[in-house]
Amino acid sequence: MTADATQTAKTKVTALPGDGIGPEVMQATMRILEAAGAPVEWEFAEAGARAFERGVVTGVPRETLDSIAANKLALKSPLETPIGYGGKSANVTMRKYFELYANIRPVRELPGIQTPFSGRGIDMVIVRENVEDVYAGIEHMQTTTVAQCLKLMTAPGCERIIRAAYGVALAEDRQSVTVAHKANIMKLTEGMMKRMGEKVAREYPGIKAGQVIIDNCAHQLVIRPEAYDVIVTSNMNGDIISDLAAGLVGGLGIAPSSNLGDQVAIFEAVHGSAPDIAGKDLANPTALLSAAIMLLRHIGAFGVAETVEQALYVTLAEGRNLTGDLAPRGHGVGTAAFTDQIIANLGRVSAMKSRVYKKLELAAWPKLTAHMEPTTRELVGIDVFLETDLDAEALGKTLTAIAEYSPFNLTGISNRGVTVYPPTGGQTFLVDHFAARFMLKHPISLAGSSSEGQPEISYLVQRIGAKFTWMHIEKLQRFDGKDAFERPQGEG
């Protein structure tokens, strides 16, 4: 890309200097962007440790949220959640508040940084869903010894992150998009990601579509990482494999990312705040500088972005005046000297070319409560989760008797997802948390009133509650003739 001859107006960006080494790498990044003539002006705001210490429980003051909302762009250094203050992560607060659903993590082999994978030509992007999955943080203690975490994945959430992945592929002229999932085990949640990937792929015939089970993906990233172009996956899977992929090319110290939503984009370094070296002129600003390069491309300043990126590449390739984490032991320089070297190299071109980028286009999602009503909906049963120290045989006989004169039959009991009644002959260690499955003798159509089936459920649960402590109930439904629930291991 050439310099942006038409871009003269400056774009206001909220700057979050952060904690630990954050202010140092932010200052270094700003110096380089200023020297390169980047069309950016900064509005400083606070988040992280200082906010927690003055009583802001989220770590993000209202004025900071207002600044980001107004500017729609932020560059963020690492933030801390200090022990003894607050509890929620400031990073997660911003991610949730602005619905930053797409986490984009580029992973590229950089010149001069030697790893066991050097020379393999690694150049990929991990696109991670950023707000759903187990990171919704919905957890409950079911008994004193059993904890539950709900894994929530939605069809709109899967669709928009997969569309974002194809958007990245188009913007960066990439050839393939691979959906990484665990649909072989979690057939409804992770299976939704797989199925949505297959559906959306049909709209992009020019891009090769693939899918891989997430554990095999991790394996393949170590065996042949150069085979991947864009990988899209759910939140927890993406959290793990994006760090794994960063390790292939030098680690989190050089890893940038962007967090994108319909209205706001936040760009950040992935690494932590490294308080042990804060204020010592030892920090490496490469990750935040690379995030700033992503920001420049996001606002269309492609030429300046390439100029800065090429100066970084030249600096790394020549190996002069590198910070201690990049230089041979004992030959590192400070943050300021490394920054000066990059500035001195502005205008030079590296042997490693920058990719050609176009603007990343993400379709905004409508502001409504997403809902899709099936043609038919039936209630076919319920799962009742209860607490007891009875053995499976005794519990099964008792629940069978309870259900005898109800509209339900007890069809099975599971413990930690494994059928334990009727007995299967297996060897299952029991805890005091059982799921009893009751199927209706006659399924109930839910096409009419939303109260359909409630009297039947209430009658059974009241009878169970007279003898046992129960935690929650799950309706077992059938949408358009298809079961909308999974069966425990061993259910026969």
Side-chain angles (χ1 to χ4, degrees), residues 18-39:
D19 305 311
I21 61 172
E24 296 168 80
V25 296
M26 181 67 77
Q27 182 185 36
T29 296
M30 289 179 171
R31 283 184 57 208
I32 295 167
L33 295 192
E34 182 180 9

Side-chain angles (χ1 to χ4, degrees), residues 219-293:
H219 176 243
Q220 295 299 327
L221 280 171
V222 177
I223 299 298
R224 52 186 192 103
E226 64 278 2
Y228 288 106
D229 214 357
V230 178
I231 299 174
V232 58
T233 189
S234 55
N235 203 338
M236 184 174 229
N237 292 337
D239 195 3
I240 295 168
I241 68 164
S242 58
D243 279 11
L244 184 158
L248 304 176
V249 296
L252 297 182
I254 60 171
S257 79
S258 62
N259 299 276
L260 309 179
D262 289 343
Q263 303 295 327
V264 168
I266 297 179
F267 299 81
E268 64 181 348
V270 175
H271 60 72
S273 59
D276 55 323
I277 63 169
K280 298 179 180 179
D281 191 39
L282 296 175
N284 176 4
T286 297
L288 191 65
L289 179 61
S290 298
I293 292 168

Side-chain angles (χ1 to χ4, degrees), residues 163-247:
R163 290 192 181 281
Y166 279 96
V168 168
L170 291 173
E172 301 185 14
D173 193 28
R174 293 184 178 273
Q175 305 306 305
S176 68
V177 171
T178 303
V179 178
H181 58 80
K182 194 61 179 172
N184 58 325
I185 302 299
M186 288 166 274
K187 302 179 189 303
L188 298 183
T189 50
E190 292 285 329
M192 184 181 291
M193 179 73 78
K194 177 181 181 292
R195 292 187 294 274
M196 189 62 72
E198 293 165 348
K199 175 183 175 182
V200 172
R202 292 194 285 270
E203 300 179 30
Y204 299 89
I207 298 173
K208 182 181 178 181
Q211 61 90 18
V212 64
I213 295 174
I214 189 65
D215 40 316
N216 186 35
C217 179
H219 176 243
Q220 295 299 327
L221 280 171
V222 177
I223 299 298
R224 52 186 192 103
E226 64 278 2
Y228 288 106
D229 214 357
V230 178
I231 299 174
V232 58
T233 189
S234 55
N235 203 338
M236 184 174 229
N237 292 337
D239 195 3
I240 295 168
I241 68 164
S242 58
D243 279 11
L244 184 158

Side-chain angles (χ1 to χ4, degrees), residues 407-461:
F408 295 88
N409 286 322
L410 176 72
T411 60
I413 301 173
S414 62
N415 193 284
R416 292 180 296 126
V418 179
T419 297
V420 294
Y421 182 86
T424 64
Q427 300 177 10
T428 302
F429 176 77
L430 298 181
V431 296
D432 58 353
H433 181 265
F434 293 85
R437 175 155 292 182
F438 296 91
M439 301 300 287
L440 279 161
K441 297 169 184 175
H442 304 288
I444 299 172
S445 171
L446 300 179
S449 168
S450 60
S451 65
E452 295 287 348
Q454 289 185 13
E456 291 86 349
I457 294 173
S458 296
Y459 174 75
L460 178 63
V461 173

Side-chain angles (χ1 to χ4, degrees), residues 308-369:
V308 174
E309 186 174 66
Q310 285 294 302
L312 173 63
Y313 287 176
V314 169
T315 303
L316 295 174
E318 292 183 346
R320 294 199 303 270
N321 293 330
L322 303 181
T323 50
D325 58 323
L326 299 175
R329 185 175 295 274
H331 294 276
V333 300
T335 309
F338 179 59
T339 302
D340 290 340
Q341 187 65 60
I342 295 174
I343 291 172
N345 286 330
L346 288 169
R348 296 183 62 191
V349 177
S350 167
M352 175 177 281
K353 303 301 181 186
S354 295
R355 294 189 67 93
V356 175
Y357 290 85
K358 298 187 290 290
K359 185 172 177 58
L360 173 58
E361 301 288 351
L362 297 181
W365 286 76
K367 294 183 178 180
L368 50 79
T369 300

Side-chain angles (χ1 to χ4, degrees), residues 188 373-374 376-383 437 439-440 443-447 450 452 457 474-487:
L188 298 183
E373 185 64 28
T376 63
R377 183 197 299 259
E378 296 174 282
L379 177 68
V380 297
I382 60 172
D383 283 342
R437 175 155 292 182
M439 301 300 287
L440 279 161
I444 299 172
S445 171
L446 300 179
S450 60
E452 295 287 348
I457 294 173
E474 292 287 347
K475 287 184 177 179
L476 305 179
Q477 298 184 76
R478 187 177 290 144
F479 300 147
D480 295 333
K482 184 177 180 180
D483 288 348
F485 53 91
E486 270 300 306
R487 301 181 185 278

Side-chain angles (χ1 to χ4, degrees), residues 14 62 64-73 97-98 263-264:
T14 300
R62 165 50 58 185
T64 297
L65 294 173
D66 291 344
S67 171
I68 297 172
N71 296 329
K72 301 187 185 305
L73 290 167
Y97 185 85
F98 294 110
Q263 303 295 327
V264 168

